[in-house]
Amino acid sequence: MTAQEYHDGQVILIDKPLHWTSFQAVNKLKYTLINKAGLPKKFKIGHAGTLDPLASGLLIVCTGKFTKSISEIQGQAKEYTGTFYIGATTPSYDLETEIDQTFPTSHINEDLIHQTVKQFLGEIDQVPPIFSAIKKDGKRLYEHARAGEEVEIQSRKTTIYEFEITRIALPEIDFRVKCSKGTYIRSLAFDFGKAMESGSHLTALRRTKIGDYNVENGVSPETFVEQITKLSEANS
């Protein structure tokens, strides 16, 4: 891949590491393409869908003319794998906040788990987590949450195309889910526990696919830096 090709337009598949923000990952690529490949400072670059710092996996970065495809890519179905922790909830529905409530789990067995999965297939109503970036009254929901303010959050329609349980080792349940744009897997974790008359929160999340793009074809930000550095050295 030449510097000119990156400038003109590429779709770059990044395997975002845990604890990185999507912004950090894009900035790393941008800095590298400017300083190692010699691209102008104002070349176009952006990502097609944020991935939380507590999630790893597929982050699609577009450059040049492909930045026009970002909204189209964002609209495609997404696939995730991860882990629910059954019997406890957190205010953020994941590990960003501490456990606030515990629930009984002695009644939960494999049959109940698999029956509960069926409730979430197809179009469902979902309430986004209070710790999310959605705006309400001019502020992000997480800003309201951190200020201790109570806000009413409207539910929204989302679609779960596939929902598979891949491991049961209570209190942990591993899953794979394919869903529409705008689905919150944290909310799915919370609702799943509630549907079993218990509680649940998300302890691991990895985005594996967006449309036909697969994380197996992605590289880490560090590997991308190495590739561009070698390209730069070869051309110098």
Side-chain angles (χ1 to χ4, degrees), residues 2 10 16 43 46 54 69 108 115 141 158 201 213 219 229:
T2 66
Q10 291 297 320
K16 186 190 81 66
F43 84 100
L54 290 178
S69 304
I108 296 173
Q115 287 300 318
L141 285 181
T158 187
H201 63 281
Y213 298 105
V219 297
T229 303

Side-chain angles (χ1 to χ4, degrees), residues 97-159:
T97 53
E98 298 291 322
I99 287 170
D100 61 349
Q101 261 186 297
T102 56
F103 299 84
T105 58
S106 57
H107 64 289
I108 296 173
N109 54 35
E110 289 198 17
D111 186 53
L112 176 61
I113 291 165
H114 289 297
Q115 287 300 318
T116 304
V117 163
K118 295 174 186 176
Q119 297 178 32
F120 292 92
L121 287 167
E123 189 178 72
I124 60 170
D125 282 313
Q126 190 180 70
V127 177
I130 182 67
F131 281 81
S132 64
I134 296 168
K135 281 195 171 179
K136 170 91 175 180
D137 302 329
K139 286 199 318 193
R140 305 272 183 199
L141 285 181
Y142 62 75
E143 292 175 320
H144 288 289
R146 287 170 186 156
E149 298 163 359
E150 286 194 20
V151 290
E152 190 180 336
I153 309 169
Q154 297 294 320
S155 68
R156 48 172 66 183
K157 299 282 185 191
T158 187
T159 305

Side-chain angles (χ1 to χ4, degrees), residues 39 84 87 118 125 152 157-158 161 173 177 192 211 214 217:
L39 265 61
F84 297 152
K118 295 174 186 176
D125 282 313
E152 190 180 336
K157 299 282 185 191
T158 187
Y161 302 111
I173 296 175
V177 67
F192 192 78
N214 194 315
N217 301 317

Side-chain angles (χ1 to χ4, degrees), residues 4 26 29 40 54 61 64 74 78 87 117 126 132 152 187 218 235:
Q4 187 62 45
V26 172
L29 269 63
L54 290 178
V61 180
Q74 283 177 325
K78 297 171 178 63
V117 163
Q126 190 180 70
S132 64
E152 190 180 336
S187 291
N235 292 334

Side-chain angles (χ1 to χ4, degrees), residues 74-78 157-161 178-183:
Q74 283 177 325
Q76 295 179 11
K78 297 171 178 63
K157 299 282 185 191
T158 187
T159 305
I160 307 295
Y161 302 111
K178 184 179 177 183
C179 55
S180 64
K181 175 191 176 185
T183 303

Side-chain angles (χ1 to χ4, degrees), residues 49-60:
T50 302
L51 198 53
D52 286 347
L54 290 178
S56 68
L58 184 59
L59 182 73
I60 298 179

